[in-house]
Amino acid sequence: MMKKKSISASKASLVFFLCQMISALDVPLDSKLLEELSQPPTITQQSPKDYIVDPRENIVIQCEAKGKPPPSFSWTRNGTHFDIDKDEQVTMKPNSGTLVINIMNGGKAEAYEGVYQCTARNERGAAISNNIVIRPSRSPLWTKEKLEPNQVREGDSLVLHCRPPVGLPPPIIFWMDNAFQRLPQSERVSQGLNGDLYFSNVQPEDTREDYICYARFNHTQTIQQKQPISVKVFSTKPVTERPPILLTPTGTTSNKVELRGNVLLLECIAAGLPTPVIRWIKEGGELPANRTFFENFKKTLKIIDVSEADSGNYKCIARNILGSTHHVISVTVKAAPYWITAPRNLVLSPGEDGTLICRANGNPKPSISWLANGVPIAIAPEDPSRKVDGDTIIFSAVQERSSAVYQCNASNEYGYLLANAFVNVLAEPPRILTPANKLYQVILDSPALIDCAYFGSPKPEIEWFKGVKGSILRGNEYVFHDNGTLEIPVAQKDSTGTYTCVARNELGKIQNEVQLEVKDPTMIIKQPEYKVIQRYGHVSFECIIKHDSTLIPTVIWLKDNDELPDDERFLVGKDNLTIMNVTDKDDGTYTCIVNTTLDSVSASAVLTVVAAPPTPAIIYARPNPPFDLELTGQLERSIELSWIPGDENNSPITSFVIEYEDGLHEPGVWHYQTEVPGSQTTVQLKLSPYVNYSFRVIAVNEIGRSQPSEPSEQYLTKSANPDENPSNVQGIGSEPDNLVITWESLKGFQSNGPGLQYKVSWRQKDVDDEWTSVVVANVSKYIVSGTPTFVPYEIKVQALNDLGYAPEPSEVIGHSGEDLPMVAPGNVQVHVINSTLAKVHWDPVPLKSVRGHLQGYKVYYWKVQSLSRRSKRHIEKKILTFRGNKTFGMLPGLEPYSSYKLNVRVVNGKGEGPASPDKVFKTPEGVPSSPSFLKITNPTLDSLTLEWGSPTHPNGVLISYILKFQPINNTHELGPLVEIRIPANESSLILKNLNYSTRYKFYFNAQTSVGSGSQITEEAVTIMDEVQPLYPRIRNVTTAAAETYANISWEYEGPDHANFYVEYGVAGSKEDWKKEIVNGSRSFFVLKGLTPGTAYKVRVGAEGLSGFRSSEDVFETGPAMASRQVDIATQGWFIGLMCAVALLILILLIVCFIRRNKGGKYPVKEKEDAHADPEIQPMKEDDGTFGEYRSLESDAEDHKPLKKGSRTPSDRTVKKEDSDDSLVDYGEGVNGQFNEDGSFIGQYSGKKEKEPAEGNESSEAPSPVNAMNSFV
């Protein structure tokens, strides 16, 4: 029975080139065969996607490809054909697609910026390169600026800003002085990632006048220099120590997005005296091992090759002896597309099946699109053997005409991948590539591999015969490999002879004969032996061999697996190696290797050189532990420790580490106390009260740390009053009738004595009450019961122990518990602005009835029914939330000609109050959407039949349809326009009396009483006696819109390689159409920079075909998300600031009153009586009203137009008298989502991530006041 298995690479004598295919067909790497076989183009070399060039040198854009016949090359630039013959500066290398742009002979690199793409094409298909973006490097000069000298107090922090010019690529920043010496950096002084120079604290030695920032532009090999910066440090005694604060980044949290595979760099630089030390941790996890590095004195955290698993919160902690601070950086790792399975070339025989698979991953998930010969597969010529199923193309029963090059494009917002893979269908008779009568020689008892390299399509079957007239070989003594090789596992003498290989398929048969000879093995019959020799003697190693008489052996000697030394003392004979005058360096292993053309054998022996015993080596070790620890100079807060060092063991002691144990609070646990130089054997130690100290000392040298010394005697420090009070004191009610006071307890050392307790005191604010106090122990919370609902309290927590109290604590303000609001908003009114927008007003509830922190108001609204269809539907309530004490808001995204209900509720920290009575309102009719379809059928010589579907959204009562049509001649010029009005109940029409063999363009829309809806267009041709060529056309233009962008797609029928463009504009506007060129011949395009909540018209055309455009389509972008800002009126710092301002005004009034009594009549008094001081009037919303602190008068003012001359923000904010439809009044929905300008996006596209704004922006931007009061 025949066996088959795969042949290992080490045994194969002929290497095959497997064409990365999924069928059974292999194409061997045979030069003659490859010259004869047809093959589609394959891109072999191309320039990088982002190609930054030197503007002083010629630009070389590489594009190399192979194929049979050799491919021709063409280029596109910015999506259009690049005719290199018309540009004398551009040439293409012979037999290549590589472009050379002559810059050194008068050309300008800036003129050739753009996106280039190469196409390699032959009769079997077309392969395309990546989009290659060409940008010349730039190294601009530094902006002139006047630099003032920096006067800094000793110990303060300082930042010297570099602000280098923006170059391409970005420059490398470094700081030097006038002598071109780099400025020394340390934990105290260092350069940030942005190039600025940071001083955690300045010292007198920092005074100098030549701090110079340099920017090095590597691409152009230039260096730009900033003007020198002067720093003068003046001293003040004493220098005040400071706890750490972060210089960069600012705040307590920040965000960072990095791409998979990149290097993540996080930076924290702190100010403080002494200089803070930076430590990094990852919250909820560990920093990745082997990929984490610390740079810039641990101020920079570097993680290489990041992946999605590295997302999370990274905290940097800056600490010195006075305290610490921290910053949390939230890292999100996204990913550009990367291959899971890239498509592979497919070589098939006619009638075979196969698949191309293209799978990629990324974050977000990339989209997959296919092209055939560089053309989107949707508009490529049809192939009945091809079926596209997402990321897979399935081929069934292929034919030779199915050969093509397919491109897979995987893209997301962070990049794209493009892969070419060809399908090559070949029909070839069998060929045997192994030379005739080739001689194979093997060693006896070893495997024999006899090749029969073949090719054919379909794949031939292989048979082996021995001898000229021998029978077919079968049996377990032979192994037949898939690549045609015959294996004899154990070759014997009788295996010698002639072997015949026969290959056959349905197109033919061929055979080939080869010869096999079996040789005797090579052997070492006397091997070298182990030798011991004294220094300066001589030694000889023997190596006697036996081999096949037809093979010529070669003998090589090695020492320690390397060549013999180039020394005349080494003598190599026929059968031996002799070494004269042996020295110590001759010690080692000597190997005799015998090689023939078929096998190799070796034998080794060790030579040991004997000499006098060597001098013992010096032993280096860790030091012995110190001993004889002694405590002297005992004081309440300090003590002196001395010791005697142990033996340093031939490595000097560099330092001593002192540790302590607290036998009173943590017995058995040793803590780090301090470290002193190795030359010091005494140290003065600072102590804390009420600690039972023991000390031990550890010696350190270059080898390592010693064992700890024996502990010293114990020393119990005296107790004392606590030095500090608990931190983070808060008062928040958990129930409507209680106040929960919490704090962070003191640590064991902070107690300073036995009997640690806490005195908790509270009293109601703004009420003449005495303090109520309790003393508690071993807790960090106390609950005060029986309090009124939501009233402010003054709170303080003081530490005490058996010796007394800590210093008087500071007071904090807390509130007792909240309860649900009691009153619903009243006087709810709805003003319908248009068919999709309404404005709702309500009266605010009294603040006392809120019974908590006012969060805002929620508007619940839902559609009851459509007034046109009267159809029942699932009621989906939508919720808008308005931050603060707002009394109005916008309801966007309503459906025209519908009935709605709404109610309003007030919200506090506990929840929602009762709902107001349901308010019913109706939206008016609107214009209808376009008819659902328009079909033109039954063409005759003079008539056409039109059929259509009613609009999907009639938005009212349809009154008629409008049909317009006009003829189009062969040059695409339009004839006279004819208009027909059709009753609304009709769904078809026969147009008669038309011209024969004429193309007509039709425009069709529906009408309600409000007006005409968007139209759809179609073209059709009346027939003639003979078949006419099909005119090109673009149809089925569809859009998918978001806030600021829209995806446009279409179908194209006509000549290949059309270059498309997209025109768009605001619907109903008379402005000129805006035009965007489509890159390549794709059938889709993304319009960016659109204004949210705006209706647009769009159409698609083709370059070079005058008047050849699609029908117009209308779409509307989604509204923008409501502004998410914090109401500062509820912030503690703002309340404190307002209290301080009120107190200052009160003091001024008292002073004025006293002066009036002393100085007689106060002349301003009458003015004060006539005109109240505007500084103490309630703030109106337009003047910056904040949250629940607005008066009822200010609420009434909300509905008045701005006074003449009122300021309007310069960022295109719409005045209230100009529009009541300001999107700033939109809230943030729970069921529906809103953009920053308040526009509704939930009903259009669901919850989406916000796109970056580009180009046009909304003309209705939020006012600063309303944005401040919007719900977060």
Side-chain angles (χ1 to χ4, degrees):
M1 177 150 180
M2 299 173 64
K3 289 195 304 181
K4 291 191 177 182
K5 67 178 183 180
S6 297
I7 186 170
S8 67
S10 62
K11 297 179 182 178
S13 59
L14 181 65
V15 179
F16 292 98
F17 173 70
L18 303 178
C19 272
Q20 298 179 328
M21 41 176 268
I22 303 176
S23 78
L25 196 58
D26 294 344
V27 179
L29 187 61
D30 183 273
S31 57
K32 183 178 179 181
L33 176 65
L34 293 178
E35 289 176 0
E36 297 174 357
L37 294 180
S38 297
Q39 180 177 304
T42 300
I43 300 290
T44 59
Q45 191 174 3
Q46 58 182 312
S47 294
K49 294 179 181 178
D50 191 5
Y51 189 15
I52 300 176
V53 299
D54 191 331
R56 302 165 300 182
E57 298 178 356
N58 291 343
I59 300 174
V60 179
I61 312 177
Q62 292 184 330
C63 180
E64 303 291 342
K66 65 179 182 179
K68 179 66 177 179
S72 61
F73 297 88
S74 62
W75 285 86
T76 62
R77 178 184 175 192
N78 297 329
T80 60
H81 176 66
F82 184 33
D83 192 346
I84 61 175
D85 295 331
K86 293 183 179 180
D87 192 336
E88 61 183 10
Q89 303 292 342
V90 182
T91 58
M92 184 183 295
K93 290 184 178 181
N95 302 317
S96 166
T98 297
L99 295 183
V100 178
I101 302 175
N102 196 334
I103 301 299
M104 302 176 67
N105 194 25
K108 291 187 177 180
E110 291 78 9
Y112 294 93
E113 285 189 76
V115 181
Y116 293 77
Q117 188 173 47
C118 170
T119 300
R121 183 185 309 277
N122 68 11
E123 63 189 26
R124 291 247 159 185
I128 62 176
S129 70
N130 292 321
N131 285 332
I132 303 170
V133 181
I134 302 296
R135 297 184 296 167
S137 62
R138 299 180 178 88
S139 51
L141 297 176
W142 226 295
T143 304
K144 295 291 185 181
E145 59 180 329
K146 184 178 180 181
L147 300 177
E148 298 293 337
N150 291 275
Q151 304 277 345
V152 193
R153 183 175 57 189
E154 181 181 358
D156 284 358
S157 62
L158 174 65
V159 181
L160 300 184
H161 297 289
C162 180
R163 300 188 183 99
V166 178
L168 183 70
I172 298 173
I173 306 302
F174 54 94
W175 290 79
M176 302 178 73
D177 58 16
N178 275 333
F180 297 99
Q181 299 297 314
R182 284 188 179 266
L183 297 176
Q185 298 191 20
S186 62
E187 289 186 343
R188 185 177 64 86
V189 183
S190 62
Q191 176 182 316
L193 293 176
N194 64 352
D196 293 345
L197 192 63
Y198 292 84
F199 295 75
S200 296
N201 52 81
V202 297
Q203 302 297 326
E205 60 264 30
D206 295 329
T207 298
R208 61 191 306 156
E209 297 181 352
D210 58 346
Y211 286 94
I212 305 174
C213 181
Y214 289 84
R216 183 173 69 223
F217 299 87
N218 285 343
H219 223 78
T220 56
Q221 299 179 350
T222 58
I223 296 179
Q224 305 288 353
Q225 172 185 337
K226 187 183 179 73
Q227 292 178 326
I229 302 175
S230 174
V231 174
K232 183 176 181 181
V233 181
F234 58 92
S235 300
T236 57
K237 300 297 182 180
V239 178
T240 304
E241 295 184 336
R242 298 175 177 82
I245 60 171
L246 286 175
L247 298 176
T248 183
T250 59
T252 59
T253 60
S254 61
N255 297 303
K256 172 82 173 181
V257 176
E258 192 54 83
L259 291 183
R260 177 181 183 268
N262 286 357
V263 176
L264 173 65
L265 292 175
L266 305 179
E267 179 183 64
C268 278
I269 301 178
L273 186 66
T275 301
V277 176
I278 303 294
R279 185 168 66 92
W280 292 88
I281 61 173
K282 182 180 182 183
E283 294 184 350
E286 298 291 335
L287 296 175
N290 303 323
R291 295 189 293 112
T292 300
F293 304 90
F294 298 97
E295 298 178 344
N296 197 18
F297 309 98
K298 291 194 175 182
K299 300 175 187 179
T300 301
L301 172 65
K302 176 180 177 182
I303 301 177
I304 63 174
D305 193 24
V306 295
S307 64
E308 288 84 347
D310 295 321
S311 297
N313 293 333
Y314 292 79
K315 179 188 286 187
C316 68
I317 304 169
R319 185 185 304 275
N320 66 10
I321 59 175
L322 297 183
S324 66
T325 187
H326 70 272
H327 184 93
V328 176
I329 305 174
S330 179
V331 174
T332 302
V333 179
K334 300 288 187 178
Y338 56 91
W339 290 120
I340 296 176
T341 303
R344 299 181 176 183
N345 294 334
L346 197 60
V347 181
L348 299 173
S349 302
E352 286 188 334
D353 302 337
T355 57
L356 287 179
I357 300 175
C358 176
R359 289 180 183 152
N361 203 355
N363 186 7
K365 181 75 174 178
S367 61
I368 302 294
S369 61
W370 288 96
L371 297 88
N373 295 326
V375 178
I377 203 163
I379 62 174
E382 290 188 2
D383 184 352
S385 67
R386 179 184 66 213
K387 178 183 178 183
V388 180
D389 185 10
D391 59 6
T392 303
I393 301 181
I394 303 171
F395 297 91
S396 303
V398 297
Q399 301 301 320
E400 284 193 272
R401 64 176 178 273
S402 301
S403 296
V405 183
Y406 291 86
Q407 291 82 31
C408 173
N409 185 304
S411 60
N412 65 13
E413 61 188 276
Y414 298 105
Y416 74 92
L417 294 172
L418 179 69
N420 290 275
F422 64 66
V423 175
N424 196 13
V425 182
L426 298 174
E428 296 288 337
R431 309 182 192 197
I432 294 181
L433 308 178
T434 301
N437 295 314
K438 183 176 180 179
L439 176 62
Y440 291 89
Q441 296 178 331
V442 297
I443 297 297
L444 181 69
D445 294 330
S446 63
L449 298 173
I450 308 173
D451 297 326
C452 181
Y454 66 92
F455 178 76
S457 180
K459 181 182 179 181
E461 293 187 1
I462 302 299
E463 293 178 332
W464 279 95
F465 301 85
K466 184 178 180 183
V468 179
K469 298 182 179 180
S471 59
I472 187 170
L473 297 182
R474 290 188 177 88
N476 293 331
E477 65 269 26
Y478 301 105
V479 179
F480 301 90
H481 293 275
D482 291 338
N483 62 1
T485 296
L486 170 66
E487 178 181 355
I488 304 174
V490 182
Q492 301 297 317
K493 285 292 185 176
D494 59 2
S495 301
T496 300
T498 301
Y499 289 81
T500 302
C501 167
V502 178
R504 60 166 56 90
N505 67 9
E506 60 189 38
L507 300 178
K509 168 186 173 184
I510 193 171
Q511 68 181 37
N512 186 46
E513 294 180 355
V514 295
Q515 307 297 322
L516 175 64
E517 293 180 356
V518 180
K519 305 291 185 178
D520 291 325
T522 303
M523 295 182 292
I524 299 177
I525 58 177
K526 188 167 185 181
Q527 300 182 357
E529 298 178 349
Y530 172 72
K531 298 290 180 72
V532 177
I533 190 69
Q534 290 185 351
R535 191 181 302 153
Y536 308 122
H538 67 274
V539 66
S540 180
F541 294 104
E542 288 187 303
C543 184
I544 301 175
I545 64 174
K546 177 183 178 181
H547 59 89
D548 191 285
S549 59
T550 61
L551 300 178
I552 302 175
T554 58
V555 180
I556 300 174
W557 287 91
L558 302 178
K559 178 181 182 296
D560 296 329
N561 293 322
D562 204 350
E563 293 183 358
L564 291 178
D566 186 9
D567 191 332
E568 61 184 11
R569 296 182 300 109
F570 289 81
L571 305 175
V572 178
K574 178 182 178 182
D575 299 319
N576 59 32
L577 168 66
T578 301
I579 307 173
M580 309 299 293
N581 297 322
V582 175
T583 63
D584 289 339
K585 64 181 180 181
D586 297 331
D587 201 283
T589 300
Y590 291 84
T591 303
C592 167
I593 301 177
V594 183
N595 293 319
T596 69
T597 55
L598 298 181
D599 61 350
S600 176
V601 291
S602 64
S604 299
V606 175
L607 172 63
T608 301
V609 180
V610 178
T615 303
I618 298 176
I619 299 176
Y620 299 92
R622 295 183 296 178
N624 293 344
F627 58 94
D628 198 12
L629 274 63
E630 183 178 2
L631 298 177
T632 57
Q634 290 88 343
L635 299 175
E636 290 186 0
R637 295 292 180 103
S638 68
I639 197 169
E640 185 175 277
L641 171 66
S642 60
W643 62 90
I644 298 175
D647 192 341
E648 62 184 21
N649 290 330
N650 300 311
S651 179
I653 295 175
T654 58
S655 63
F656 292 99
V657 177
I658 292 88
E659 297 180 340
Y660 70 91
E661 175 196 25
D662 180 8
L664 192 62
H665 300 98
E666 293 180 295
V669 179
W670 291 90
H671 301 275
Y672 173 85
Q673 173 86 8
T674 188
E675 187 170 353
V676 298
S679 59
Q680 187 174 328
T681 58
T682 60
V683 64
Q684 192 77 19
L685 302 175
K686 293 183 179 180
L687 307 179
S688 296
Y690 193 54
V691 177
N692 192 12
Y693 282 101
S694 291
F695 299 96
R696 69 183 187 185
V697 182
I698 299 172
V700 181
N701 65 10
E702 291 186 354
I703 309 303
R705 295 162 62 104
S706 73
Q707 293 294 322
S709 68
E710 292 294 327
S712 69
E713 61 181 307
Q714 292 187 331
Y715 177 62
L716 178 63
T717 54
K718 293 183 179 180
S719 302
N721 292 10
D723 294 326
E724 51 189 308
N725 287 304
S727 60
N728 196 25
V729 178
Q730 294 182 336
I732 303 173
S734 61
E735 299 294 339
D737 60 349
N738 75 5
L739 171 66
V740 180
I741 303 173
T742 59
W743 61 91
E744 288 187 9
S745 302
L746 298 181
K747 309 300 181 185
F749 274 14
Q750 296 172 309
S751 66
N752 284 4
L756 176 64
Q757 296 177 296
Y758 303 100
K759 180 181 178 183
V760 185
S761 305
W762 68 92
R763 68 179 178 185
Q764 190 171 338
K765 191 175 183 294
D766 301 328
V767 177
D768 193 14
D769 281 353
E770 295 295 329
W771 288 93
T772 302
S773 302
V774 296
V775 177
V776 296
N778 300 322
V779 296
S780 58
K781 179 174 71 174
Y782 184 78
I783 301 177
V784 180
S785 302
T787 63
T789 300
F790 193 66
V791 295
Y793 278 86
E794 296 175 311
I795 303 166
K796 57 185 179 180
V797 181
Q798 186 177 25
L800 68 150
N801 60 19
D802 291 348
L803 279 78
Y805 287 87
E808 185 67 22
S810 58
E811 300 171 6
V812 298
I813 303 298
H815 284 83
S816 57
E818 299 182 69
D819 204 350
L820 293 176
M822 297 185 297
V823 178
N827 193 25
V828 178
Q829 299 293 329
V830 180
H831 170 57
V832 178
I833 296 175
N834 55 41
S835 60
T836 61
L837 183 67
K839 188 173 185 180
V840 58
H841 294 261
W842 62 87
D843 290 342
V845 301
L847 291 179
K848 289 186 179 180
S849 70
V850 176
R851 302 200 296 178
H853 294 288
L854 176 64
Q855 301 290 331
Y857 291 87
K858 284 188 177 181
V859 177
Y860 288 74
Y861 67 103
W862 61 95
K863 178 181 174 181
V864 178
Q865 66 178 9
S866 172
L867 299 178
S868 60
R869 298 184 179 182
R870 304 290 180 183
S871 60
K872 294 292 183 178
R873 56 173 288 174
H874 172 67
I875 296 178
E876 178 185 356
K877 289 190 177 182
K878 299 177 181 176
I879 306 172
L880 295 181
T881 304
F882 298 90
R883 179 72 174 176
N885 200 20
K886 293 197 67 174
T887 59
F888 63 91
M890 293 295 187
L891 304 180
L894 303 176
E895 295 184 17
Y897 206 47
S898 300
S899 175
Y900 281 85
K901 286 185 179 181
L902 66 76
N903 59 54
V904 186
R905 312 175 191 197
V906 68
V907 182
N908 66 10
K910 191 75 173 178
E912 301 176 7
S916 66
D918 289 349
K919 189 74 175 180
V920 179
F921 65 96
K922 298 178 180 179
T923 55
E925 283 190 85
V927 297
S929 62
S930 60
S932 58
F933 67 89
L934 173 63
K935 294 194 300 185
I936 304 175
T937 60
N938 301 329
T940 67
L941 288 174
D942 62 349
S943 68
L944 293 169
T945 301
L946 281 68
E947 298 177 358
W948 60 85
S950 60
T952 306
H953 301 288
N955 296 337
V957 178
L958 295 182
I959 59 175
S960 65
Y961 292 101
I962 301 297
L963 172 66
K964 300 178 183 179
F965 64 94
Q966 56 191 150
I968 307 173
N969 63 17
N970 291 336
T971 60
H972 300 281
E973 296 177 352
L974 300 176
L977 188 67
V978 178
E979 180 176 330
I980 299 175
R981 184 178 298 272
I982 304 170
N985 59 352
E986 296 290 341
S987 62
S988 63
L989 175 69
I990 298 176
L991 282 179
K992 299 182 178 179
N993 299 323
L994 303 176
N995 297 330
Y996 77 92
S997 186
T998 302
R999 175 174 291 277
Y1000 287 88
K1001 187 169 185 177
F1002 298 89
Y1003 312 87
F1004 194 68
N1005 60 351
Q1007 278 191 331
T1008 64
S1009 60
V1010 176
S1012 298
S1014 56
Q1015 65 183 14
I1016 59 175
T1017 64
E1018 191 57 82
E1019 294 182 11
V1021 183
T1022 56
I1023 66 173
M1024 61 179 293
D1025 296 339
E1026 57 183 3
V1027 178
Q1028 294 295 316
L1030 179 65
Y1031 288 101
R1033 64 172 180 169
I1034 299 174
R1035 60 191 188 92
N1036 291 346
V1037 178
T1038 58
T1039 59
E1043 298 172 35
T1044 60
Y1045 68 93
N1047 290 316
I1048 313 299
S1049 61
W1050 59 88
E1051 294 182 4
Y1052 168 71
E1053 295 178 0
D1056 291 342
H1057 314 300
N1059 295 317
F1060 302 108
Y1061 61 88
V1062 175
E1063 293 182 320
Y1064 69 102
V1066 177
S1069 171
K1070 296 183 178 180
E1071 295 180 358
D1072 292 339
W1073 291 79
K1074 298 178 182 178
K1075 185 175 181 180
E1076 297 286 348
I1077 302 300
V1078 178
N1079 187 10
S1081 55
R1082 299 180 300 184
S1083 59
F1084 61 93
F1085 188 78
V1086 179
L1087 289 177
K1088 297 183 179 179
L1090 304 180
T1091 303
T1094 304
Y1096 284 86
K1097 57 184 179 182
V1098 65
R1099 65 188 183 189
V1100 182
E1103 295 284 359
L1105 301 176
S1106 176
F1108 170 39
R1109 300 185 185 92
S1110 70
S1111 59
E1112 293 181 15
D1113 191 23
V1114 177
F1115 66 91
E1116 185 172 348
T1117 55
M1121 180 70 71
S1123 177
R1124 296 172 174 263
Q1125 300 187 19
V1126 177
D1127 186 355
I1128 64 171
T1130 63
Q1131 303 297 303
W1133 64 270
F1134 180 81
I1135 296 173
L1137 178 62
M1138 293 296 100
C1139 292
V1141 172
L1143 179 61
L1144 180 60
I1145 293 174
L1146 179 61
I1147 293 173
L1148 290 175
L1149 291 176
I1150 295 174
V1151 171
C1152 292
F1153 180 78
I1154 295 174
R1155 288 187 61 187
R1156 180 177 181 277
N1157 289 340
K1158 286 185 177 182
K1161 192 169 182 179
Y1162 187 52
V1164 187
K1165 180 67 172 62
E1166 292 79 8
K1167 295 182 181 180
E1168 291 178 344
D1169 294 338
H1171 306 287
D1173 187 354
E1175 291 296 319
I1176 60 175
Q1177 293 302 308
M1179 297 174 67
K1180 302 298 185 290
E1181 178 172 337
D1182 294 314
D1183 298 325
T1185 304
F1186 297 109
E1188 61 262 38
Y1189 295 100
R1190 294 192 299 182
S1191 65
L1192 295 177
E1193 290 82 4
S1194 71
D1195 293 328
E1197 289 293 323
D1198 285 345
H1199 310 298
K1200 297 179 181 179
L1202 291 173
K1203 296 178 181 179
K1204 185 174 183 180
S1206 298
R1207 293 196 309 166
T1208 301
S1210 62
D1211 55 351
R1212 299 166 62 188
T1213 305
V1214 179
K1215 297 181 181 178
K1216 287 192 175 182
E1217 65 261 36
D1218 295 337
S1219 171
D1220 261 346
D1221 190 14
S1222 175
L1223 297 180
V1224 72
D1225 297 323
Y1226 294 176
E1228 171 182 332
V1230 176
N1231 294 24
Q1233 297 293 319
F1234 290 79
N1235 284 340
E1236 289 186 358
D1237 59 356
S1239 56
F1240 182 68
I1241 67 174
Q1243 112 180 39
Y1244 299 101
S1245 57
K1247 187 172 183 181
K1248 291 192 176 181
E1249 289 186 75
K1250 201 175 167 196
E1251 289 284 320
E1254 296 180 18
N1256 302 328
E1257 296 180 357
S1258 172
S1259 61
E1260 298 181 335
S1263 72
V1265 172
N1266 289 339
M1268 190 179 299
N1269 290 325
S1270 62
F1271 188 77
V1272 176

